[in-house]
Amino acid sequence: MTVRNALKTQSAVGGRNTNGRYARKLVIIASLAAASFLSVVVCVGIGTVRFSFGEALKALFVDDGGMARLLVWNLRFPRILTAGLVGVCLSLSGCILQGVMRNNLASPSTIGVTSGASFVGYLTLVAFPALYYLLPIGSIAGAFITTMLIYALAYQKGVSPVKMILSGLAVSALFGALNDIIKTFFSSELGNASGFLVGGLNGVVWKDFSMVAPYALVGIFICFLLPAKMNVLMLGDETANSLGLKTERFRFFLILISSLLSGAAIAVAGLISFVGLVVPHIARLLVGSDYRFLFPTSVFLGFVLVTVCDTIGRVIMPPGEIPVSIILAFIGAPFFLYLLRTRQKD
Amino acid sequence: MYFGFDNISVQYGKKRVLSDINAEFPRGEIITIIGQNGCGKSSLLKTVPRAVKPSKGRVVFEDKSLDTYNRKAIAQKIAYLPQVHSPPSDIDVRTLVSYGRYPHARFGRGMTRADADIIDEALELTGLTALRYRILSTLSGGERQRAWIAMTITQQPQILILDEPTTYLDVSYQLEVLELIRGLNKKLGITIIMVLHDLNMAARYSDKLYVIKNAACVLKGAPRDVLTRLVLRDVFEIDAEIFEDKTNGCPYFIPIKIKERSI
């Protein structure tokens, strides 16, 4: 009896109270939000012409018609904002996909969504060369078709990692080949969409930002209505169903939203393969798997990561540029491996 | 009919698992469905949360087919606990229990004070108050099962359906869980419908036993009338000795040998 009591006391001590734990998570989210803001101001000041923090802040918020304002507002800021938006979209898309597939290896790039989205994007550009703004719609449709395809191929009461990765690989290879064909034979029609073709954010201006922002913002907004349902879905289909969640319909809806997000990102930045996988992982290590915290954490992490990496790529080897996807791989991959080795709790 | 199965058949591909099951569950009782492995008893329960779609027939609740209710409305009245769980690895007890409020939640409104009270009450009732901030995966099997049951209590159901709630549990935890279930039945008046493997446990904790054999419900009755040598022989294919557990006032059996099959 004493042993039992001792065990009970010990377990009671082991639990921290909810408020304390929530507070820690909220502090993390707030710090990341602050970091997002700082990253914009700092990155806007970096380049061939440098601005101090104060100058950059002034250029962002005061329209004095000066050189700093022109450079920051017309060139650097739209690009940095687009980079951030791409980061947010890919992170959220990865978060959702990992929930839908119940599988932490899911992300837009690992399951071939990126290449599927590019393919339909290319088709759109070839079919309507003058209607540049249709590109996001094409890539969103492509992302949706690919995700549904992978889901149908690999889903049986949760997606088996092997099946998902293999289907993703096959689908990716197929669309990749088709993409190469299109790029070879229709190079003149594709001239308009440089970022989309090359991958990366070189030369992105306000026009590009406003092309994808509506889709992205709608997707992001909807994400913040979902955490309660996502959490219930994570209990498994049978339990979720018996709690009153229509799991099949909800999954379909989630695939739609994740496609909206990844399609929008791909339309402006092309193939960026690291963010959607890594950011949800890091977010989960920081705040756990509760989607109420996971979504905002992913948003700010994705924003900071892509903004900073794009800026590094922009300035590291002047006068040339290194695409953001390469910088992401160089910084993100080792970091991710380090995390896997040190915190292998999941 | 308050709750029951009306002519339900279940088919997996060409294999008929259940055919024309009719069963009525009176309000406020504990009813356990028993039968051999693969007899379809779990499939029968799974028709309630629509995890299994019957090829024929319907589940009836308050004289209407369950299909006429929307899912959240069902979840407010009927809770179902599956046999196997795969929750997120870092979920804590109170968070899990709070998900039972999902069917009651209104769009765009968070947890209210009333929700929190219901959650704390469920924790108290299942003896988990001291463990409420612990990570679920660090608890014992019995404690974990109690946490899942606490989640179903916060749904505030009239009916609780459990698919083998004592699987993988040591005997002390089995008793712990079944005592809890009986307590819910007595204290809150929740109708309990469950599947159990252990026939002695079933006889001890149930008001009635329903026996499934060859895809049909072959026998219903009080444990004393069901747990007989003849039934054990015909349904479970063992020769057994039946005794009386005087402490708990229920029958129990000891298997003697496997029934000799006529070859």
Side-chain angles (χ1 to χ4, degrees):
Chain A
M1 209 50 211
T2 43
V3 175
R4 210 164 176 193
N5 280 340
L7 280 174
K8 270 191 186 152
T9 338
Q10 199 186 10
S11 10
V13 173
R16 269 179 296 164
N17 90 19
T18 318
N19 289 337
R21 250 182 324 197
Y22 284 4
R24 196 186 67 92
K25 291 173 182 178
L26 291 177
V27 167
I28 290 175
I29 292 169
S31 323
L32 286 169
S36 304
F37 178 74
L38 283 180
S39 75
V40 171
V41 181
V42 170
C43 291
V44 148
I46 296 175
T48 32
V49 183
R50 282 180 175 269
F51 301 110
S52 70
F53 190 82
E55 287 168 335
L57 211 54
K58 184 167 165 256
L60 276 176
F61 290 104
V62 186
D63 184 6
D64 57 1
M67 193 271 286
R69 170 73 183 183
L70 278 175
L71 188 58
V72 164
W73 187 261
N74 291 341
L75 291 174
R76 291 184 190 167
F77 187 48
R79 171 164 177 172
I80 283 161
L81 215 51
T82 309
L85 200 63
V86 165
V88 173
C89 286
L90 291 173
S91 308
L92 285 177
S93 175
C95 259
I96 293 177
L97 283 177
Q98 292 179 6
V100 169
M101 308 266 181
R102 289 181 66 76
N103 189 318
N104 287 353
L105 290 175
S107 79
S109 50
T110 45
I111 66 170
V113 168
T114 348
S115 35
S118 313
F119 175 65
V120 183
Y122 286 139
L123 286 187
T124 319
L125 285 179
V126 171
F128 312 101
L131 305 177
Y132 176 63
Y133 55 84
L134 282 181
L135 176 58
I137 296 175
S139 58
I140 288 165
F144 181 70
I145 293 165
T146 322
T147 319
M148 287 304 285
L149 193 66
I150 302 292
Y151 181 71
L153 285 172
Y155 196 85
Q156 283 169 342
K157 292 196 169 192
V159 173
S160 95
V162 180
K163 265 192 170 178
M164 183 187 73
I165 295 294
L166 289 182
S167 326
L169 213 63
V171 169
S172 219
L174 179 69
F175 283 125
L178 290 170
N179 287 345
D180 286 341
I181 293 176
I182 293 183
K183 273 196 260 185
T184 317
F185 291 101
F186 297 94
S187 52
S188 57
E189 283 88 342
L190 296 174
N192 255 336
S194 60
F196 177 58
L197 286 182
V198 184
L201 296 158
N202 196 355
V204 162
V205 289
W206 279 118
K207 187 188 77 166
D208 303 281
F209 177 79
S210 48
M211 174 183 75
V212 294
Y215 306 99
L217 293 176
V218 167
I220 294 166
F221 174 75
I222 292 174
C223 275
F224 283 87
L225 305 174
L226 299 178
K229 288 189 175 195
M230 290 298 292
N231 282 336
V232 169
L233 185 69
M234 288 301 95
L235 297 176
D237 277 33
E238 268 182 35
T239 309
N241 268 326
S242 63
L243 284 172
L245 183 71
K246 296 183 182 104
T247 51
E248 301 88 358
R249 216 169 74 178
F250 185 51
R251 273 218 168 75
F252 182 80
F253 179 70
L254 286 178
I255 289 178
L256 205 65
I257 298 306
S258 113
S259 308
L260 183 67
L261 289 163
S262 59
I266 290 160
V268 72
L271 220 104
I272 291 184
S273 57
F274 212 65
V275 186
L277 179 67
V278 170
V279 168
H281 268 272
I282 299 175
R284 207 171 280 121
L285 290 174
L286 286 173
V287 297
S289 57
D290 186 335
Y291 274 86
R292 282 175 299 170
F293 304 106
L294 198 55
F295 273 147
T297 309
S298 299
V299 163
F300 295 125
L301 261 180
F303 188 97
V304 174
L305 185 68
V306 179
T307 314
V308 169
C309 285
D310 182 52
T311 304
I312 293 173
R314 181 160 59 88
V315 299
I316 198 167
M317 287 175 76
E321 272 200 16
I322 300 177
V324 60
S325 50
I326 294 174
I327 302 293
L328 275 168
F330 273 122
I331 293 181
F335 181 55
F336 181 58
L337 291 175
Y338 165 76
L339 282 175
L340 274 185
R341 275 204 70 81
T342 50
R343 302 194 51 176
Q344 218 162 21
K345 265 194 288 184
D346 293 313
Chain B
M1 179 155 54
Y2 172 56
F3 182 74
F5 300 108
D6 178 20
N7 246 350
I8 279 197
S9 297
V10 171
Q11 206 144 351
Y12 291 143
K14 282 197 173 156
K15 195 178 168 239
R16 175 154 276 208
V17 184
L18 294 167
S19 70
D20 303 323
I21 298 281
N22 283 296
E24 201 177 328
F25 301 93
R27 201 171 193 143
E29 294 198 346
I30 300 181
I31 289 150
T32 304
I33 301 171
I34 55 176
Q36 279 188 304
N37 280 335
C39 74
K41 50 193 192 302
S42 289
S43 301
L44 184 62
L45 292 193
K46 282 182 184 172
T47 58
V48 180
R50 299 184 203 176
V52 164
K53 294 201 172 56
S55 52
K56 212 185 82 192
R58 54 188 197 146
V59 183
V60 176
F61 178 63
E62 291 181 335
D63 296 319
K64 280 191 289 183
S65 165
L66 212 54
D67 295 331
T68 60
Y69 297 84
N70 80 41
R71 280 212 208 178
K72 278 200 178 180
I74 297 172
Q76 292 176 10
K77 303 271 174 74
I78 304 172
Y80 168 84
L81 200 58
Q83 186 181 358
V84 206
H85 311 289
S86 50
S89 57
D90 63 343
I91 195 170
D92 64 86
V93 174
R94 197 172 186 283
T95 306
L96 175 73
V97 174
S98 74
Y99 292 155
R101 294 309 293 161
Y102 175 76
H104 298 271
R106 292 232 198 88
F107 188 78
R109 212 188 56 185
M111 287 276 167
T112 61
R113 190 65 239 168
D115 287 324
D117 289 343
I118 291 165
I119 293 162
D120 290 332
E121 230 168 85
L123 288 166
E124 192 61 46
L125 209 59
T126 48
L128 289 169
T129 304
L131 303 175
R132 65 192 183 281
Y133 299 125
R134 287 277 302 275
I135 302 297
L136 188 70
S137 53
T138 65
L139 301 183
S140 77
E143 289 164 343
R144 242 177 293 167
Q145 190 63 301
R146 266 156 47 199
W148 284 101
I149 292 172
M151 184 193 83
T152 63
I153 299 172
T154 59
Q155 283 175 252
Q156 300 184 306
Q158 301 176 9
I159 301 172
L160 174 56
I161 298 173
L162 305 114
D163 190 357
E164 302 209 21
T166 56
T167 332
Y168 310 127
L169 294 183
D170 284 341
V171 65
S172 66
Y173 296 138
Q174 290 184 26
L175 286 179
E176 185 182 303
V177 165
L178 289 169
E179 287 292 340
L180 170 63
I181 291 170
R182 174 145 78 188
L184 298 178
N185 173 259
K186 297 281 172 286
K187 273 185 236 161
L188 305 180
I190 299 176
T191 307
I192 308 280
I193 301 165
M194 58 183 166
V195 161
L196 287 179
H197 243 110
D198 188 320
L199 300 179
N200 281 327
M201 291 290 186
R204 177 164 162 187
Y205 285 98
S206 315
D207 295 314
K208 286 201 187 86
L209 298 176
Y210 288 15
V211 186
I212 294 186
K213 168 89 175 177
N214 293 336
C217 187
V218 291
L219 190 65
K220 301 169 195 176
R224 216 169 288 279
D225 304 323
V226 171
L227 206 69
T228 60
R229 292 180 70 163
L230 195 68
V231 173
L232 288 170
R233 201 181 151 78
D234 286 350
V235 177
F236 295 93
E237 305 188 346
I238 50 168
D239 285 328
E241 204 81 60
I242 313 278
F243 300 93
E244 172 76 17
D245 175 352
K246 296 226 166 55
T247 326
N248 296 299
C250 61
Y252 73 98
F253 76 93
I254 291 172
I256 306 297
K257 64 178 188 331
I258 299 176
K259 183 179 87 175
E260 279 154 32
R261 286 161 219 252
S262 45
I263 302 165

